[in-house]
Amino acid sequence: MKKSVFMISLAAVLLTTSCASKKDLVACQEENKALQTNYQNTKEQLAASNTRVASLEEQLAELRRTNQTLQSSLEQSLSNASQNNVSIEKLVDQINESNQYIRHLVEVKSKSDSLNMVLTNNLTRSLSKEELKEVDVQVLKGVVYISLADNMLYKSGSYEISDRAAETLSKIAKIIKDYKDYDVLIEGNTDDVPISRENIRNNWDLSCLRASSVVQALQNNYGVDPKRLTAGGRGEYNPLQSNATEQGRQRNRRTQIIITPKLDEFMELIGQAPDGE
């Protein structure tokens, strides 16, 4: 009888311990899930911060170059004034005019950089985590570069747009349509492996055909104004990495969507430069 009571008590203790262990396990799993979510959010915030830092560094370097140009211009003006006996008043007027123009350029550039950052952030937020693994968005020298991997964008060994690329292109097209004051260059790039297919002579042809496919998809499927679009191919001659490895070749096989301020507006701005005497 005592033995039976002892066995029942032991079983109750083991059952209680097992239940407690299961609760601890569930709690640990929930805590681990929360930590993973926090880690992913932190990682995304860090990527956005790195993009902003790179853009600010680019702006700082540009302003330093502008300052150096202004100093050189001032030294040249002083030299010319000494040689040609130009009046101080006229020299001051020329310098003030140049300073006003430089300030105007800085304001325009600042506005352009701000728009580029907003454009980049909007695009990054619209893409899913899976899409961001195959789409790289950068701002370099005031230009937005969207680089898409060829294995996501095209059917294997082809220049036809794949079905799974449609959703990504639709999101990019929406951003392009929202920013009507920008032109869009679609640039195809390949690795250096020769292609052997009917009606495709070489990698020049392939890169151009792929760029043209994206342009036509943006126009026909997503309503982007074709007057804003340009298709171009660079073949194998604009590599990001060495073609000696498969990883390098895969990086080089890409299509870039390059978003830039309209060229005619830029040339009009240049035309506003003060006349030198």
Side-chain angles (χ1 to χ4, degrees):
M1 181 66 178
K2 291 181 178 180
K3 185 176 180 180
S4 299
V5 171
F6 173 74
M7 293 300 291
I8 292 173
S9 299
L10 179 60
V13 170
L14 292 174
L15 181 59
T16 301
T17 303
S18 175
C19 291
S21 298
K22 290 181 179 178
K23 290 180 179 178
D24 290 341
L25 177 60
V26 171
C28 287
Q29 289 174 338
E30 292 177 352
E31 183 178 357
N32 182 59
K33 184 177 179 180
L35 288 172
Q36 289 178 341
T37 300
N38 289 337
Y39 169 73
Q40 185 62 37
N41 290 338
T42 302
K43 184 178 179 182
E44 293 174 1
Q45 293 173 7
L46 178 60
S49 296
N50 288 337
T51 298
R52 288 193 290 272
V53 168
S55 179
L56 289 173
E57 289 177 345
E58 180 84 23
Q59 293 178 41
L60 178 59
E62 183 64 27
L63 289 174
R64 284 173 175 168
R65 288 192 290 268
T66 300
N67 184 56
Q68 183 62 43
T69 300
L70 177 58
Q71 290 180 352
S72 298
S73 177
L74 177 58
E75 292 172 0
Q76 183 64 43
S77 296
L78 289 172
S79 176
N80 291 339
S82 175
Q83 294 174 7
N84 301 319
N85 196 26
V86 178
S87 68
I88 296 299
E89 291 80 3
K90 188 173 183 180
L91 175 60
V92 170
D93 289 341
Q94 290 176 352
I95 293 175
N96 288 337
E97 189 177 3
S98 296
N99 287 342
Q100 183 178 359
Y101 178 65
I102 289 174
R103 284 195 296 271
H104 177 61
L105 287 179
V106 171
E107 290 173 1
V108 171
K109 183 182 184 304
S110 178
K111 180 180 178 181
S112 175
D113 289 343
S114 297
L115 286 172
N116 286 340
M117 288 304 302
V118 173
L119 186 156
T120 302
N121 290 335
N122 288 345
L123 178 59
T124 302
R125 284 197 296 267
S126 71
L127 298 175
S128 68
K129 295 177 183 178
E130 290 302 315
E131 288 173 319
L132 286 173
K133 293 178 181 178
E134 297 180 298
V135 179
D136 181 38
V137 183
Q138 296 186 52
V139 178
L140 299 174
K141 297 182 179 180
V143 178
V144 178
Y145 290 82
I146 307 170
S147 185
L148 301 99
D150 75 320
N151 57 348
M152 180 274 288
L153 196 53
Y154 308 105
K155 297 179 180 179
S156 179
S158 171
Y159 53 85
E160 296 181 17
I161 303 295
S162 68
D163 294 336
R164 74 188 186 101
E167 184 176 356
T168 302
L169 282 179
S170 69
K171 294 175 181 178
I172 295 174
K174 183 180 183 305
I175 298 296
I176 292 174
K177 291 167 70 176
D178 287 343
Y179 290 82
K180 301 182 184 300
D181 293 331
Y182 286 76
D183 282 330
V184 183
L185 168 64
I186 313 300
E187 181 184 276
N189 295 269
T190 70
D191 57 27
D192 65 349
V193 178
I195 185 169
S196 177
R197 286 196 59 191
E198 186 178 358
N199 298 326
I200 301 179
R201 294 169 295 181
N202 48 42
N203 284 329
W204 279 115
D205 279 1
L206 179 61
S207 64
C208 292
L209 287 168
R210 286 183 166 179
S212 178
S213 292
V214 175
V215 162
Q216 292 179 67
L218 292 174
Q219 174 188 353
N220 299 330
N221 300 340
Y222 308 112
V224 177
D225 184 356
K227 295 178 181 178
R228 300 173 56 197
L229 299 172
T230 301
R234 301 191 67 176
E236 64 201 62
Y237 301 104
N238 185 35
L240 292 176
Q241 296 183 5
S242 170
N243 283 300
T245 65
E246 175 55 35
Q247 182 180 4
R249 290 191 293 273
Q250 183 176 354
R251 283 274 290 153
N252 294 334
R253 295 191 300 268
R254 70 199 186 281
T255 295
Q256 290 185 306
I257 299 177
I258 304 171
I259 304 176
T260 64
K262 288 184 178 295
L263 182 60
D264 55 349
E265 294 180 2
F266 176 75
M267 296 305 295
E268 181 180 349
L269 177 63
I270 295 299
Q272 298 174 7
D275 295 331
E277 294 187 7

